Amino acid sequence: MFYKFCLFCPPTRGTPPLCSNNAKKDLRAESCKKLPFCQLQSKSLLLYKGSRDQLQKWCKWKSRVSTEASSSEANPVSSYSSILFKLYGNVHPDGYYFAQVNVGQPPKPYFLDPDTGSDLTWLQCDAPCVRCTEAPHPLYRPTNDLVVCRDPLCASLHSGAYECPNPEQCDYEVEYADGGSSFGVLVNDVFSLNLTTGIRLGLRLAFGCGYDQLPSVYAPPLDGVLGLGKGNSSIVSQLHNQGIVRNIIGHCLSATGGFLFFGDDLYDASQVNWAPMSQDSTKRYSVSSAELTFGGKGVGIKNLDVIFDSGSSYSYLNSQAYRAIISLIEKDLKGKPLKEAKDDRTLPECWRGRKPFKSVHDVRKYFKPLGLSFHHGQRVRTQFEIPPDAYLIISSKGNACLGILNGTEIGLQNVNLIGDISMQDKMVIYDNEKGAIGWSPANCSRPPKSNTFIM
């Protein structure tokens, strides 16, 4: 959906492809200027700030990985490295987290929303931009290294037999459950990444140049989205295919930020509670057969399918589970010094005390823990505990509000979604190689020790 002879001159969203040699006659083409061509020295790898020693270090590491890969079938590559990012933000009052990712030559910083609920990474893009939202950095200026339409990465973003009106480029459109969307084209550029082995790399990866964004009501003021889903277009899948990291993602969220990582050398798998991913979900990180618990006891609601989604600030339950939780909490609060705060519209359910609360720690003694008990195997259960700190927020009025919402009412149907609030103070790991999701308690305000850290 672009004009011939112009790098990115997009028509209005939804119109048919338009390639015109008379682009000058179209007003939309007036601002379309061909961007400078930047020929990169390598299609796959560039080394930044690296001298001969850095290059030798890289070669030795890759040589060791290749040797181990050919000598072990059970554990084909045990010397993969990891990549660590610092996370900024919080569930409340900001309502989002973000990581800084450095893209281009020279590298420029962009703040991206880490989202395990979607695959594609995209940046708001000056191609030029038809509609872009408020962002902390200038719009990304793309090179003319486009991903072609028949590239496997392009195919992974389309269902069935998709058409290629312009074979030289890959158009994309992603829509999110909150009503937001991004429309654009896939491009290649260099990501500057630090490995935990101490090596700094510039890796050529594909991502979206988003020139038309429809923001949701609560869209965060960021430069784009860091897609962490299971699909081939995700950044971690591309890194895995280049032999850089294992196809594993992990994050640890706190009230003041946290950290995100790709790879498997930043945790002890034996200390993690694991549950198998659902086999019937090829795109989402989901676990089936969960039972809802309150105060450590089952409440009679079973066989819940649960999705882990770092792109959602709050958690969502279907109507039946949600109403059960509300009823149990209200019943448990009888006789305690908390009353319903109907005038507080921060979230649907809020409670006030005798005086305003300052933090969740002030109210956790009044609320029982929630939980999900995952059944896998004949007698195997894995508990995902949700203490009051992981389902309550304190509003600006000093009331305790429930950060679990009715998903059915907003169109999620029977989906049950674990959002950021319920994953706080846990290291959550998505192992795409073993097909399992794991979690363990952690101090997420203190990132693991590493030789390098992407700020």
Side-chain angles (χ1 to χ4, degrees):
M1 296 186 180
F2 298 94
Y3 293 86
K4 189 180 294 184
F5 308 130
C6 296
L7 182 52
F8 294 143
C9 234
T12 305
R13 178 194 298 244
T15 60
L18 179 58
C19 291
S20 173
N21 292 333
N22 297 319
K24 292 182 179 179
K25 295 181 180 180
D26 194 301
L27 295 177
R28 289 171 298 187
E30 291 183 359
S31 61
C32 185
K33 298 179 180 180
K34 189 171 184 179
L35 302 179
F37 179 75
C38 181
Q39 179 64 48
L40 299 178
Q41 297 177 356
S42 170
K43 281 293 183 182
S44 60
L45 172 67
L46 294 170
L47 294 167
Y48 283 105
K49 295 184 179 178
S51 57
R52 184 183 301 273
D53 292 338
Q54 185 79 321
L55 179 60
Q56 290 177 347
K57 190 174 184 180
W58 162 258
C59 292
K60 287 180 180 179
W61 177 68
K62 287 297 290 182
S63 176
R64 185 175 71 251
V65 169
S66 299
T67 300
E68 294 182 4
S70 61
S71 62
S72 174
E73 295 183 359
N75 185 18
V77 182
S78 60
S79 295
Y80 275 124
S81 185
S82 291
I83 299 171
L84 182 63
F85 301 84
K86 185 174 182 179
L87 292 179
Y88 305 84
N90 51 66
V91 172
H92 183 81
D94 292 343
Y96 61 91
Y97 292 88
F98 68 89
Q100 176 177 313
V101 179
N102 301 312
V103 182
Q105 287 187 292
K108 294 181 180 179
Y110 299 95
F111 293 165
L112 304 184
D113 182 1
D115 182 18
T116 59
S118 62
D119 297 336
L120 184 67
T121 293
W122 57 267
L123 301 178
Q124 296 203 93
C125 182
D126 186 8
C129 190
V130 176
R131 283 178 291 192
C132 281
T133 61
E134 178 185 358
H137 296 103
L139 297 178
Y140 167 74
R141 292 298 302 273
T143 67
N144 56 356
D145 186 357
L146 305 181
V147 175
V148 299
C149 185
R150 290 304 175 188
D151 190 289
L153 285 180
C154 187
S156 70
L157 296 174
H158 299 84
S159 59
Y162 64 99
E163 297 182 356
C164 285
N166 189 344
E168 297 179 357
Q169 68 186 40
C170 174
D171 298 320
Y172 79 84
E173 182 171 13
V174 291
E175 298 180 343
Y176 301 97
D178 61 3
S181 66
S182 176
F183 187 76
V185 64
L186 288 194
V187 298
N188 293 298
D189 209 339
V190 177
F191 282 60
S192 181
L193 301 170
N194 295 336
L195 304 184
T196 52
T197 54
I199 302 170
R200 188 178 185 188
L201 303 176
L203 293 165
R204 181 165 290 277
L205 302 171
F207 61 99
C209 165
Y211 58 77
D212 189 357
Q213 276 66 246
L214 291 179
S216 65
V217 177
Y218 303 105
L222 298 175
D223 298 304
V225 169
L226 180 59
L228 304 175
K230 300 164 68 174
N232 293 331
S233 63
S234 74
I235 293 298
V236 71
S237 293
Q238 294 183 58
L239 291 171
H240 174 68
N241 290 336
Q242 292 190 28
I244 306 301
V245 298
R246 289 193 179 280
N247 197 351
I248 297 171
I249 297 164
H251 58 69
C252 203
L253 308 176
S254 74
T256 56
F259 58 91
L260 165 74
F261 60 89
F262 304 155
D264 68 341
D265 64 355
L266 297 175
Y267 62 92
D268 182 354
S270 66
Q271 302 299 313
V272 177
N273 297 301
W274 295 98
M277 295 183 191
S278 298
Q279 297 298 317
D280 56 353
S281 179
T282 58
K283 295 184 178 181
R284 297 178 173 179
Y285 293 116
S286 64
V287 182
S288 58
S289 301
E291 179 181 2
L292 187 63
T293 65
F294 180 76
K297 298 180 180 179
V299 301
I301 298 179
K302 303 179 180 180
N303 299 319
L304 297 175
D305 292 326
V306 178
I307 294 172
F308 289 73
D309 186 356
S310 67
S312 174
S313 298
Y314 296 111
S315 295
Y316 295 84
L317 296 176
N318 64 37
S319 291
Q320 181 188 18
Y322 176 78
R323 293 192 182 103
I325 288 299
I326 296 297
S327 177
L328 289 166
I329 290 177
E330 291 179 343
K331 181 179 179 180
D332 193 61
L333 288 178
K334 289 183 178 180
K336 297 179 181 179
L338 280 85
K339 303 296 181 182
E340 187 176 1
K342 295 183 178 181
D343 60 331
D344 192 338
R345 307 314 303 166
T346 303
L347 289 171
E349 298 292 336
C350 296
W351 298 270
R352 66 165 49 91
R354 292 169 179 167
K355 59 181 181 179
F357 301 114
K358 296 181 179 180
S359 72
V360 175
H361 297 288
D362 296 339
V363 297
R364 60 181 304 171
K365 61 184 177 182
Y366 302 122
F367 292 84
K368 290 182 179 179
L370 302 176
L372 292 166
S373 179
F374 294 99
H375 299 248
H376 46 98
Q378 293 183 345
R379 297 183 179 180
V380 180
R381 292 188 180 185
T382 307
Q383 300 290 335
F384 185 89
E385 296 181 355
I386 309 175
D389 310 60
Y391 69 80
L392 295 171
I393 60 107
I394 302 301
S395 72
S396 59
K397 296 183 178 182
N399 300 321
C401 298
L402 181 65
I404 298 177
L405 310 177
N406 189 332
T408 305
E409 287 185 349
I410 63 169
L412 295 181
Q413 305 306 323
N414 202 41
V415 170
N416 302 283
L417 189 149
I418 299 298
D420 292 341
I421 188 171
S422 301
M423 294 189 283
Q424 292 180 107
D425 300 317
K426 286 184 177 65
M427 184 180 288
V428 181
I429 302 159
Y430 310 84
D431 190 331
N432 290 306
E433 298 189 8
K434 296 181 179 178
I437 299 176
W439 55 86
S440 63
N443 183 354
C444 298
S445 60
R446 300 180 63 182
K449 294 181 180 180
S450 172
N451 292 332
T452 54
F453 195 37
I454 297 181
M455 300 303 291

